C-alpha cells in the first residue's frame, strides 16, 4: 500500500509563543477567521475560525477533498442548547444548524466556493488516525491531494475532568498526497493517551520524533 506523504501543514495554538518556536506554519494566535467574511465568522468559535483559516491556507484553490475531525466540536454551543431544552426554552433554528458536526466545513465551503467532497468525523479519541485513513481512501479514488484538519474548541466547565482534552482550543491541518513530501511511516507505539491537536503540532514541528496514536507515526527524514 502506498504511503501517505505530507506536503504542507499549518497549526493554531493561541497559548504558544510564535517568537519562541520561530515556525511560520503556526497561524497568528489572535483574531482567527481572516479567511471568512464577518457575517460567517461570527457564527463560529475561535477553533472553528482557525479551522477555516487552515483549510483556506492549505487548499487556496478549493480543489481538494476536505476532512475535519473534532472529538467534542463546539461543546459550549451544544451544552447551552441542551440547557435551554432542559429549561423548556425555544431554540433558534440558526443556532441549531450550527450545532451539527459538519457546520465548520459548511461555513468554509460557503465562504470559499468549495464544491469538492467534505467530511466531518468524530472518533471518540481516535480522530487523527481516522483522518489519515479517510484521506487514504480519497487518494485511492484518484484525488491528487486531500486536506485534513484536527481541532478542539474550549471545553465547558461542566465537562472538565470528565473527558480528555488538550486544555484549550487548538487546531492543526495537513495536506496529504501519495507523491509529494515526507512519508508518514507507521510503527509500533506504546499504548497511551490519544493524541490531541497540540501533540500533532509538536510532532510536525520536530519537538517530538514520534506520534503515539496506535499505531504510532513518524515522518521520514527529508
Amino acid at each position: 500500500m502506498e504511503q501517505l506523504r505530507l506536503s504542507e501543514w499549518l497549526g493554531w495554538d493561541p497559548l504558544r509563543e510564535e517568537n519562541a518556536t520561530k515556525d511560520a506554519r503556526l497561524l497568528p494566535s489572535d483574531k482567527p477567521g481572516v479567511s471568512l467574511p464577518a457575517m460567517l465568522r461570527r457564527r463560529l468559535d475561535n477553533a472553528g475560525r482557525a479551522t477555516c483559516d487552515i483549510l483556506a491556507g492549505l487548499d487556496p484553490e478549493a480543489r481538494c477533498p476536505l476532512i475535519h475531525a473534532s472529538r467534542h466540536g463546539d461543546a459550549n454551543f451544544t451544552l447551552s442548547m441542551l440547557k435551554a431544552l432542559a429549561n423548556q426554552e425555544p431554540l433558534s433554528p440558526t443556532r441549531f444548524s450550527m450545532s451539527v458536526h459538519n457546520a465548520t466545513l459548511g461555513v468554509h465551503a460557503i465562504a470559499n466556493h468549495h464544491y469538492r467532497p467534505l467530511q466531518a468525523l468524530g472518533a471518540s479519541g481516535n480522530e487523527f488516525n481516522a483522518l489519515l485513513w479517510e484521506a487514504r481512501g480519497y487518494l485511492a479514488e484518484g484525488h491528487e491531494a486531500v486536506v485534513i484538519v484536527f481541532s478542539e474548541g474550549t471545553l465547558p466547565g461542566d465537562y472538565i475532568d470528565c473527558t480528555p482534552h488538550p486544555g484549550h482550543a487548538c487546531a492543526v491541518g495537513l495536506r496529504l498526497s501519495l507523491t509529494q513530501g515526507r512519508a508518514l511511516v507507521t510503527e509500533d507505539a506504546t499504548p497511551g493517551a490519544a493524541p490531541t491537536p497540540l501533540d500533532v503540532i509538536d510532532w510536525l514541528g520536530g519537538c517530538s520524533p514520534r506520534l503515539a496514536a496506535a499505531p504510532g507515526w513518524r515522518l521520514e527524514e527529508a
Side-chain angles (χ1 to χ4, degrees):
M1 186 178 293
E2 292 182 275
Q3 289 179 319
L4 291 172
R5 292 185 174 273
L6 171 67
S7 56
E8 187 54 273
W9 68 274
L10 293 171
W12 176 73
D13 176 4
L15 298 189
R16 192 177 300 244
E17 292 292 337
E18 292 89 345
N19 291 335
T21 62
K22 294 183 172 61
D23 197 329
R25 288 167 294 193
L26 289 177
L27 300 180
S29 59
D30 60 335
K31 297 183 179 178
V34 296
S35 64
L36 300 170
M39 184 176 294
L40 292 175
R41 184 169 58 247
R42 67 170 62 102
R43 297 187 180 187
L44 299 174
D45 64 358
N46 280 342
R49 296 170 184 177
T51 294
C52 290
D53 288 345
I54 290 171
L55 291 170
L58 295 176
D59 182 33
E61 297 179 354
R63 297 177 58 184
C64 297
L66 306 178
I67 314 173
H68 174 221
S70 178
R71 182 167 187 172
H72 303 99
D74 187 347
N76 283 283
F77 198 55
T78 305
L79 182 61
S80 68
M81 289 195 302
L82 291 174
K83 289 182 176 180
L85 286 173
N87 294 328
Q88 298 184 336
E89 299 171 357
L91 296 181
S92 161
T94 301
R95 290 179 64 85
F96 178 78
S97 70
M98 294 306 300
S99 70
V100 297
H101 213 54
N102 62 352
T104 299
L105 284 176
V107 168
H108 170 79
I110 292 169
N112 293 274
H113 308 288
H114 185 279
Y115 305 111
R116 298 299 178 97
L118 303 171
Q119 186 172 357
L121 301 174
S124 299
N126 200 33
E127 280 74 22
F128 188 68
N129 270 335
L131 283 166
L132 296 181
W133 283 110
E134 291 295 332
R136 188 187 292 276
Y138 282 109
L139 294 171
E141 290 184 347
H143 292 279
E144 181 179 345
V146 178
V147 172
I148 64 173
V149 178
F150 181 19
S151 75
E152 285 296 345
T154 304
L155 196 67
D158 308 62
Y159 292 163
I160 292 176
D161 298 329
C162 296
T163 183
H165 190 268
H168 60 272
C170 49
V172 61
L174 296 75
R175 181 183 173 95
L176 302 171
S177 74
L178 298 176
T179 58
Q180 298 181 353
R182 300 171 66 185
L184 276 67
V185 181
T186 60
E187 57 181 28
D188 293 336
T190 302
T196 70
L198 298 182
D199 296 323
V200 179
I201 290 174
D202 285 340
W203 173 57
L204 295 174
C207 298
S208 175
R210 294 174 180 82
L211 182 70
W217 294 93
R218 64 178 174 84
L219 283 171
E220 188 178 70
E221 293 298 328

